[in-house]
Amino acid sequence: MTPTGSPIQKLVVVGQGYVGLPLALRAVEAGFDVVGFDLDPNRVKRLATGDSYVEDISTERLTAALDSGRYLPTDDPEEMAEFDIAVVDVPTPLKEGIPNLAYVEDAATTLSGHLRTGATVVLESTSYPGTTEEVLIPLLEQGSGLRAGPDFHVGYSPERIDPGNPTWTLENTPKVVSGIDEASLTSVASFYGRLVERTVAVSGTREAELTKLLENTFRHVNIALVNELAMFASDLGIDVWESIDAASTKPFGYMRFTPGPGVGGHCLPIDPSYLSWKVRRSLGQPFRFVELANDVNEHMPDYVVRRLMLALNAKGRSVRGTRVLLLGLAYKRNTGDAREAPGTMIARALVELGAEVRVADPHLSGDTLSVPLVDADADELAAADAVVIITDHDAFDYELVRTHARYVLDTRHRVDGPTVEHL
Ligand code: SAJ
């Protein structure tokens, strides 16, 4: 309920990225008055003109929200005034391996200036257990003079947005919800209950924070397992891909993961380290699975370069002066996000070794790259001394690769042929 006891109406979403913008627009469609706050004036300008920079949000959907008169993108904190509920969707990066909560702290301080009795604040950003109660709440209380619990509600609800996923959306993905007390949980659960099909309540914010970290650490550790297995299998002359395919036929008790050139993106390379940092800081012990998984996955780009060096060496070639075409630089298939992408590390290493590196990636624009961006056409494929498949976008013509490339190192097992080696 709002401070005046009427249903929650005014929502502020702090951060209009791949998580905050879908939430803001879903809330507009559910009838809320929404302020979409972002520190980046360029983003605000683009949103205000109906120009979406989030792949899951179409121009039509954004324009409809603007036309409703209930969506206001802004970088002016004054527009937050009188909010009933605020959701914080800001980045939580690592800085030299240490959690960097500067964006969360900034959001809390800004919101505290507009916090009223009876209002609700929810943190969605991924962070270590304790962040809501040890970082967010003190700043909200300091800036408002109010007390979390008696005066305003606070909760945590992890984001589960999977960009580009056509099946699982904000609406149909179960939403874990929590509160610092019963009244907070009720407020948070009823808010999300108006946006998503199913909410899942847990007893406290720390359990909710740990839920998200468990989800992504589970993936990170299992990807590291198959990556290490792939390296051993290759040395043992065993086709690990066949074994993975065969294991994947098990209808229970197994989940398919596949080797790759490393783990990129804004989730997996980062989230598990929030957990291991918290364990080490609070308990003085290493979270060995996470630290080992980080070590294995961070090693994969170097392993790919080593495999290429061995292949060239077998042909009497050095890397220096060799023309290498990298297929796919984005961190994940069919996306254009090259953040923390292993492909960029592989490209950099090959350039340092003196290779002539070219990249083909239909999802990337050339202005972000330090190497030429080309098309993976027959000429480019034939002209390369080696082709490395790093991100297996569906847009590539793998038959063309198979028939024109003299040598292919395929890190995703997307193509077969006499000139192809797999990770
Ligand atoms: N990767 C592998 N082998 C695998 C799976 C992934 O090498 O078997 C690599 C990918 O190439 C990529 C990285 O790991 O470089 C991360 O891939 P991801 O599939 O985990 O995709 P993300 O980073 O977009 O993870 C998101 C997460 N979503 C949220 O945090 C809300 C994650 O929880 C989802 O499970 C995941 O999407 C998903 O399932 O697609």
Side-chain angles (χ1 to χ4, degrees), residues 18-19 126 158-163 165 212 215-216 219-220 222-223 226-227 255-269 271 297 330-333 335 340-342 390-392 412:
Y18 80 93
V19 177
T126 304
E159 59 92 357
R160 284 177 166 173
I161 300 293
D162 184 25
N165 190 323
K212 170 68 180 190
E215 288 167 11
N216 282 358
R219 289 183 71 74
H220 197 57
N222 280 287
I223 292 164
V226 291
N227 279 336
M255 184 171 178
R256 178 186 179 84
F257 290 91
T258 51
V263 170
H266 35 269
C267 302
L268 267 63
D271 298 349
N297 290 335
Y331 84 93
K332 184 178 179 180
R333 180 191 304 172
T335 68
E340 308 276 339
I390 291 176
T391 305
D392 55 328
R412 301 290 188 170

Side-chain angles (χ1 to χ4, degrees), residues 335-347:
T335 68
D337 190 343
R339 272 180 297 186
E340 308 276 339
T344 51
M345 301 166 200
I346 292 168

Side-chain angles (χ1 to χ4, degrees), residues 222-231 233 238-251 254-260 411-413 422-423:
N222 280 287
I223 292 164
L225 169 65
V226 291
N227 279 336
E228 190 163 45
L229 206 53
M231 291 188 278
I238 300 171
D239 185 333
V240 72
W241 296 87
E242 268 200 72
S243 301
I244 290 170
D245 287 345
S248 301
T249 62
K250 184 178 179 189
Y254 182 77
M255 184 171 178
R256 178 186 179 84
F257 290 91
T258 51
T411 72
R412 301 290 188 170
H413 203 289
H422 300 121
L423 204 54

Side-chain angles (χ1 to χ4, degrees), residues 73-92:
T74 183
D75 56 358
D76 178 3
E78 291 313 306
E79 297 290 358
M80 295 181 178
E82 311 281 303
F83 73 81
D84 299 316
I85 185 164
V87 179
V88 179
D89 278 323
V90 296
T92 48

Side-chain angles (χ1 to χ4, degrees), residues 325-329 358-362 372-376 391 393 396:
L325 176 61
L326 303 180
L327 297 190
L329 218 54
R358 302 151 85 83
V359 167
D361 190 321
L373 185 66
V374 299
D375 291 330
T391 305
H393 295 310
F396 288 130

